[in-house]
Amino acid sequence: MEWALNRKKRWMVLVGSILVLVQVFVNTSGCFREEKRSLLELKTAYSNHSLLPSWVDDVVDPNSNCCDWECVECDPSSGYVFNLSLSNIRDRDAYGRCFSTPFNWSLLLTFPQLTILDLSHNCFQNFVCQGGSIPINMFEGRDTSAPIGLHILDLSHNKFSGHLPFSFTISPSLVFINLKGNDLTGKIPNYYPRGDNIVAIDFSDNNFKGHIPESIYSLKSLTFLLLAGNQLQEQLSSGICELRNLQILDLSRNKFTGSIPSCFNNIAFQDVNFVFSRGQRATVSPGGAKRYRTQIFGFKYRMGEVQVKTKGSSRSYEGDTLKIMSALDLSSNQLTGEIPRELGDLSGLHTLNLSHNRLNGLIPESFHNLQNIESLDLSNNTLSGQIPLNLQDLYFLEIFNVSYNNLSGTAPEENQFANFDDSNYEGNPFLHWTNSNRRIPPPPAPLDKRKKDDSAVDFTSFYWTFSASYVTVLLALVIILWINPYWRRVWFYFVEWCLFKCFR
């Protein structure tokens, strides 16, 4: 029995050695040939061949290693490409105009371990695939040939247009998806509840219409939901309060109607960090781990350290430490009714923006509990009553705007409120504020001083006017005497007569 086990071990060692040798001889350039071929084909989509200069084939450089190319990163243990970041590789003409470049998504099928795909800030206009439109299974991960390990997908700030497939789904491995700044239309696709790891969705600045799909509310790990700058409408569903781990919710610049759900106090709106591992479930938890600034989304997010583990190796991605910016932004919609007092329970919130709506009623006294608030904007509504005096205990408040409402009474004037001025309160005809918290205009000048200033200004004007007139007359006289002999004789006669009168 022991002899059989030893024989089996010897066979396993032999097979393993053969596999290592095969990989060494087949992959002599340091990267896999099919991946290198696909990368070179991606480069041909650019008309400017000077872009991506390190991407050369074996004819130009037999030792060219695609793992050393710019914008490409390979896993050190497997040798496969796991990070393809073509951000801001724009194809421009001689006038600086950006060419619309098609992107052949089918080529990504040759990258079995692709984890990060960043095509942001380019001019990609549409997808070119074998069979035509965007293949749904690219994001589902059901097809064995699809990049099932994709964690980060950033297609923001391109020229993609049209509709996304209605059955567009979240892959179990996907953590970030960013489609911001395109021209996508139609309804936001109805996501199947398979996105167990999804942390951030940014569909801002497109032309999506309709409502937020209910299936989004089942994404329990969702931390950032950014849908600003679309044409979304209808009333906000209380189902959004099921997203209890949200740190930033931005629904601004849409057409939402109805009242603000009072259940927003069920959402965390606090500091979170996340760690995700390749092939494993991502974890999202509160805490004070190392932070980094992600460049994938428009906001400056402070997130946790990101670790990608592959076959025993670990790679960490982290950046500068930034202050947390938990935010709730519902501005520039058509919301009505009173501000729910429950919003005051969001003690971890740093930014609250409800401006440019149709909200009425009082500013809730419960806002005194927003002890971490740094920016509070309630401007351009129809709020009435007094500003609660207990808001002056919000010591971190740096931005406060209640302009263009129907507020009355006297504004707070202590602590942070001593720094606020007219621009914070204007447009409230019945609201008063003292000199301690408004810009004090310079006192009027004394009457005598004004007279002196006026006289000085008059004399200065007179001197300049007299000098200019004198020079003009003198030049005119010289020119006339030069070109006209008759007047020259008259002038000399006049000068002689004057001299005779003066010295007689």
Side-chain angles (χ1 to χ4, degrees), residues 116-171:
I116 301 172
L117 177 61
D118 185 357
L119 306 179
S120 62
H121 295 276
N122 282 289
C123 294
F124 295 121
Q125 189 171 20
N126 50 32
F127 284 99
V128 176
C129 295
Q130 299 172 353
S133 61
I134 302 175
I136 300 172
N137 60 5
M138 287 295 182
F139 305 99
E140 292 179 354
R142 294 185 299 194
D143 190 311
T144 57
S145 62
I148 60 175
L150 198 64
H151 287 325
I152 296 176
L153 176 63
D154 190 351
L155 308 180
S156 62
H157 300 288
N158 279 282
K159 295 184 178 180
F160 295 120
S161 59
H163 295 220
L164 290 177
F166 188 71
S167 56
F168 180 88
T169 61
I170 292 291
S171 166

Side-chain angles (χ1 to χ4, degrees), residues 478-491:
V478 170
I479 293 172
I480 293 173
L481 295 178
W482 180 265
I483 63 176
N484 195 315
Y486 173 77
W487 286 109
R488 189 163 58 242
R489 288 194 299 269
V490 172
W491 172 255

Side-chain angles (χ1 to χ4, degrees), residues 235-292:
Q235 187 166 353
L236 285 177
S237 169
S238 59
I240 201 169
C241 301
E242 297 298 318
L243 300 174
R244 299 178 184 270
N245 289 316
L246 280 180
Q247 179 181 350
I248 294 181
L249 175 61
D250 187 357
L251 305 180
S252 62
R253 295 179 289 118
N254 280 286
K255 297 180 179 179
F256 290 113
T257 58
S259 59
I260 299 174
S262 60
C263 60
F264 271 125
N265 59 345
N266 294 330
I267 302 177
F269 288 114
Q270 62 184 2
D271 190 8
V272 297
N273 68 79
F274 64 91
V275 177
F276 66 87
S277 300
R278 189 179 182 83
Q280 301 178 10
R281 293 173 61 90
T283 60
V284 180
S285 59
K290 293 181 180 179
R291 304 291 190 259
Y292 88 107

Side-chain angles (χ1 to χ4, degrees), residues 110-350:
T110 59
F111 299 91
Q113 294 189 17
L114 189 64
T115 301
I116 301 172
L117 177 61
D118 185 357
L119 306 179
S120 62
H121 295 276
N122 282 289
C123 294
F124 295 121
Q125 189 171 20
N126 50 32
F127 284 99
V128 176
C129 295
Q130 299 172 353
S133 61
I134 302 175
I136 300 172
N137 60 5
M138 287 295 182
F139 305 99
E140 292 179 354
R142 294 185 299 194
D143 190 311
T144 57
S145 62
I148 60 175
L150 198 64
H151 287 325
I152 296 176
L153 176 63
D154 190 351
L155 308 180
S156 62
H157 300 288
N158 279 282
K159 295 184 178 180
F160 295 120
S161 59
H163 295 220
L164 290 177
F166 188 71
S167 56
F168 180 88
T169 61
I170 292 291
S171 166
S173 65
L174 200 61
V175 177
F176 299 122
I177 180 170
N178 188 0
L179 304 180
K180 179 180 181 179
N182 283 283
D183 194 24
L184 297 170
T185 57
K187 295 183 178 180
I188 295 178
N190 189 26
Y191 292 93
Y192 297 151
R194 299 183 58 211
D196 298 331
N197 295 326
I198 190 72
V199 171
I201 295 176
D202 191 347
F203 289 172
S204 304
D205 298 319
N206 280 282
N207 287 303
F208 288 116
K209 298 181 179 180
H211 61 280
I212 302 175
E214 293 288 332
S215 55
I216 282 187
Y217 306 147
S218 65
L219 305 176
K220 303 302 182 183
S221 61
L222 194 62
T223 309
F224 306 96
L225 179 58
L226 308 169
L227 304 177
N230 283 285
Q231 303 294 322
L232 299 175
Q233 52 194 12
E234 301 184 11
Q235 187 166 353
L236 285 177
S237 169
S238 59
I240 201 169
C241 301
E242 297 298 318
L243 300 174
R244 299 178 184 270
N245 289 316
L246 280 180
Q247 179 181 350
I248 294 181
L249 175 61
D250 187 357
L251 305 180
S252 62
R253 295 179 289 118
N254 280 286
K255 297 180 179 179
F256 290 113
T257 58
S259 59
I260 299 174
S262 60
C263 60
F264 271 125
N265 59 345
N266 294 330
I267 302 177
F269 288 114
Q270 62 184 2
D271 190 8
V272 297
N273 68 79
F274 64 91
V275 177
F276 66 87
S277 300
R278 189 179 182 83
Q280 301 178 10
R281 293 173 61 90
T283 60
V284 180
S285 59
K290 293 181 180 179
R291 304 291 190 259
Y292 88 107
R293 174 181 176 180
T294 178
Q295 300 294 337
I296 298 173
F297 299 98
F299 286 93
K300 297 178 181 178
Y301 299 152
R302 192 176 82 164
M303 298 180 177
E305 181 183 11
V306 178
Q307 294 180 339
V308 180
K309 298 179 180 178
T310 307
K311 296 182 180 179
S313 66
S314 177
R315 301 178 64 85
S316 298
Y317 303 90
E318 53 184 275
D320 298 334
T321 299
L322 294 176
K323 188 193 303 186
I324 181 68
M325 197 190 73
S326 56
L328 172 60
D329 193 344
L330 304 178
S331 63
S332 300
N333 280 284
Q334 300 172 16
L335 300 174
T336 57
E338 298 185 354
I339 300 175
R341 63 171 304 278
E342 289 81 2
L343 292 185
D345 297 335
L346 301 176
S347 57
L349 195 65
H350 286 251

